[in-house]
Amino acid sequence: MSWSSPVNSFSQGLKAYVTGVRWLKKHPRYLFYLSLPMALGVIFFIGALSLFATYDETILTLLSLTRTPEDPLWWDVLYYVLKGLLYVSSFILTILISFLMMNIVASPIYEVISWAVEKDLTGQEPEEVSWRVLLQVTVSEIKKTFFIILLSLGVLLIPGLNLLSTLMAVFLLAWDFFDYPLVRRGWTFSQRLGFVRGEFWTVLGLSVWMMIPFAQIITVPLAVAGATIINIEALQRQNKLTRRSDQPC
């Protein structure tokens, strides 16, 4: 792999988000569908902020290090630095969980939009969006949400790594959308996890748009189109663009 590959892949993810938004503008019906996740995002976001404001001291008491009046000055300084990092990380985790809850509820809408984007890109009829498929997508979202929350908690509890909590949170949200075409094809969780590792820089580029402060309620739902685009392009490069019904038993 050349040194320029991560840069090119990252740039591809950045551009894919814009391409996805343009696709949605050309298909206003699907853009209208996203108004529901955006409304849910407002509700979950306000709820998350309220919960954090109510229980922030309790959360920090459970996570923070202890200190006593006899501790040296350097430890006092380090203690408050670590406490500040834990406070920020806990806040970010609270917001991440609120968006993940939104994505579970809105997953049938995202699946319909992802299906339409794939059909437009490939010119082929993807796997039919049946109630069985929508139920499978929802169940997959619930399982994936628990995995993301556990992973995020693990990072939160490791001093130093929690500095990366914001970047990791938006990457995991982008992966959440990137996953839809693979769920449609019946890929296992381990297969999907391996696939996203190979597309890490592209997904990371897409996720940057979700870091814009106070705009995530809008930018997060819009990512479904761009995430589908980079997924389909990756499947095409690897000659894996087959439907579930086309795969050998």
Side-chain angles (χ1 to χ4, degrees):
M1 179 182 293
S2 66
W3 285 106
S4 63
S5 294
V7 177
N8 291 338
S9 298
F10 186 84
S11 175
Q12 180 187 359
L14 282 172
K15 294 176 183 176
Y17 185 94
V18 178
T19 303
V21 172
R22 289 174 179 168
W23 186 92
L24 289 167
K25 289 176 67 176
K26 292 179 181 178
H27 302 81
R29 177 177 56 156
Y30 298 110
L31 191 59
F32 174 74
Y33 289 170
L34 290 177
S35 61
L36 176 58
M38 290 177 186
L40 289 173
V42 173
I43 295 172
F44 282 116
F45 187 76
I46 294 174
L49 289 180
S50 299
L51 282 173
F52 184 78
T54 303
Y55 298 104
D56 60 335
E57 287 299 326
T58 302
I59 294 172
L60 292 174
T61 299
L62 293 173
L63 294 176
S64 46
L65 302 172
T66 59
R67 59 179 291 273
T68 64
E70 293 77 21
D71 290 330
L73 177 61
W74 67 267
W75 179 250
D76 284 344
V77 174
L78 181 60
Y79 171 82
Y80 285 111
V81 169
L82 290 175
K83 185 173 181 178
L85 291 175
L86 286 171
Y87 191 97
V88 172
S89 299
S90 300
F91 175 76
I92 292 171
L93 179 61
T94 304
I95 301 304
L96 172 63
I97 292 174
S98 72
F99 279 117
L100 289 172
M101 295 300 105
M102 175 191 75
N103 285 357
I104 290 176
V105 177
S107 57
I109 294 175
Y110 294 144
E111 167 60 22
V112 169
I113 295 174
S114 177
W115 183 92
V117 172
E118 178 179 339
K119 180 181 178 181
D120 194 41
L121 286 176
T122 64
Q124 300 176 357
E125 193 82 10
E127 195 75 32
E128 181 183 359
V129 184
S130 62
W131 284 108
R132 181 179 63 83
V133 173
L134 292 178
L135 179 61
Q136 182 184 19
V137 168
T138 303
V139 172
S140 175
E141 279 296 304
I142 294 173
K143 293 179 179 178
K144 193 163 46 179
T145 295
F146 279 109
F147 173 79
I148 291 174
I149 291 173
L150 289 174
L151 182 61
S152 302
L153 281 172
V155 172
L156 176 64
L157 293 172
I158 301 175
L161 279 183
N162 46 29
L163 289 170
L164 302 175
S165 56
T166 301
L167 189 61
M168 189 192 73
V170 294
F171 174 82
L172 292 174
L173 281 174
W175 169 49
D176 201 22
F177 290 113
F178 178 81
D179 220 25
Y180 277 92
L182 306 183
V183 175
R184 273 199 299 278
R185 286 165 169 78
W187 286 33
T188 64
F189 181 80
S190 61
Q191 288 175 318
R192 285 153 33 212
L193 197 59
F195 192 75
V196 76
R197 281 201 300 265
E199 300 297 322
F200 172 81
W201 291 105
T202 310
V203 177
L204 185 63
L206 179 83
S207 70
V208 168
W209 294 94
M210 304 183 197
M211 295 180 67
I212 304 173
F214 307 108
Q216 290 93 343
I217 292 171
I218 296 175
T219 60
V220 169
L222 292 176
V224 63
T228 301
I229 290 171
I230 60 176
N231 187 299
I232 297 303
E233 289 176 347
L235 288 172
Q236 288 174 330
R237 286 196 308 271
Q238 300 182 33
N239 295 318
K240 295 180 179 179
L241 192 63
T242 56
R243 302 189 310 167
R244 184 203 304 257
S245 56
D246 296 331
Q247 297 173 8
C249 300

